[in-house]
Amino acid sequence: MRAAVVREFNEDLSIETVPDPTCPDNGVVLEVAACGVCRSDYHGWSGAHPKVQNGSILGHEYCGTVVEAGSNAKHKVGDRLIAPFILGCGSCHACQTGVSNTCANQIVPGFGAPGAYAEYVAVPFDHNLVHLPDTLSPALAAGLGCRVTTAWHALTDRADVAAGEWVAVHGTGGIGLSVLLLAKMLGCRVVVVDVVDEKLEHAKLHGADATVNASEEDAATAILEITGGGAQVSIEALGIETTTNASLECLAILGRHVQIGMPSGDGWMRMNMRAIYSKQLSVFGTRGMPSWKYPRLLGLIERGDVDIQPMVAREVRLEDASGELRAMRGPTSPGTAVITSFLP
Ligand SMILES: [Zn+2]
Ligand SMILES: [Zn+2]
């Protein structure tokens, strides 16, 4: 099969012919219809993710059609499926208590197992996969990626937002945009922070109640003013110190901070503990979404309760993935790229 392979960090992915994946006994092989290009891929491509090495195939935001099914697979050849990026084993305590996104036996194609920057991808634990609604295009389904699902879990589980609350979101990449669209659907007011005016304009166009350009003013001070005392919920979507502290400092008393951005480097950062202490804040980490939450989220999208079209900025070819990753070195334009063409 044709695949985009990591050979050297920060260099173009190598387009190679590699062996087709072997079908797992407890899973399927999908012919990939679409695969999102994600900032997590950028971390892998640039050498900052321990599970991405010479020979790795990235791609954890995929959907496709089953072309081979293992003897213990739940799905069958021809099924059109979408996967959460974390594949839980289904039989451990975490999986059986509804938090498969914390499964200790989890497998994440693209990080430690071959991903979907390729014509085919092997997916073990296929009970995690759900049927793709006919009305949802593969590009849009893949565009949901880890961002919409992670944002959904952050808002509905970790932060447990209520209608009428102010939600601040720091960073308007895929996660930021997802938080905006989903929080608006849930009846929240949303203030969006970024340093790129074009992205703030884009956010306004898609329902942001207020925007703050953090390169022009202190984000926390601005949000305290806009919200009349602070946001109830603040989402950090970049994983860096400045925005993490802005997120803590922009909260109202008893506010909830949710760390979605994967902290870069060794993960250490200086945090304003006085803000946490004096405002009695709650601080949550979150990663992914248990797969049982997929059908409900897809239902909301299928019914038109939320329009996620703005998530996908462009459809690209497999060989264009390198350029998309390269562009993530600097501030990027709104929306994300999805690979939908895998053959020359
Ligand atoms: Zn498990
Ligand atoms: Zn992702």
Side-chain angles (χ1 to χ4, degrees), residues 139-213:
L140 210 49
L144 287 174
C146 62
R147 53 194 77 86
V148 176
T149 53
T150 298
W152 180 245
H153 192 58
L155 289 169
T156 58
D157 182 282
R158 311 302 276 157
D160 195 16
V161 292
E165 289 191 311
W166 271 104
V167 174
V169 59
H170 302 260
T172 57
I175 289 282
L177 193 53
S178 308
V179 166
L180 167 62
L181 299 173
L182 296 171
K184 288 303 294 182
M185 177 183 68
L186 294 167
C188 301
R189 288 177 286 179
V190 181
V191 51
V192 167
V193 185
D194 207 282
V195 294
V196 180
D197 276 327
E198 185 198 355
K199 287 165 112 169
L200 295 173
E201 285 307 317
H202 184 256
K204 253 190 204 147
L205 215 61
H206 294 292
D209 296 276
T211 59
V212 174
N213 187 324

Side-chain angles (χ1 to χ4, degrees), residues 87-117:
L87 304 170
C89 74
S91 45
C92 73
H93 183 260
C95 286
Q96 296 201 331
T97 52
V99 285
S100 59
N101 59 320
T102 68
C103 170
N105 311 314
Q106 66 183 251
I107 292 173
V108 182
F111 295 104
Y117 282 20

Side-chain angles (χ1 to χ4, degrees), residues 63-94:
C63 59
T65 304
V66 177
V67 291
E68 199 180 343
S71 54
N72 292 319
K74 175 186 166 194
H75 296 288
K76 59 183 194 308
V77 171
D79 287 354
R80 291 172 73 241
L81 304 173
I82 179 166
F85 72 98
I86 299 172
L87 304 170
C89 74
S91 45
C92 73
H93 183 260

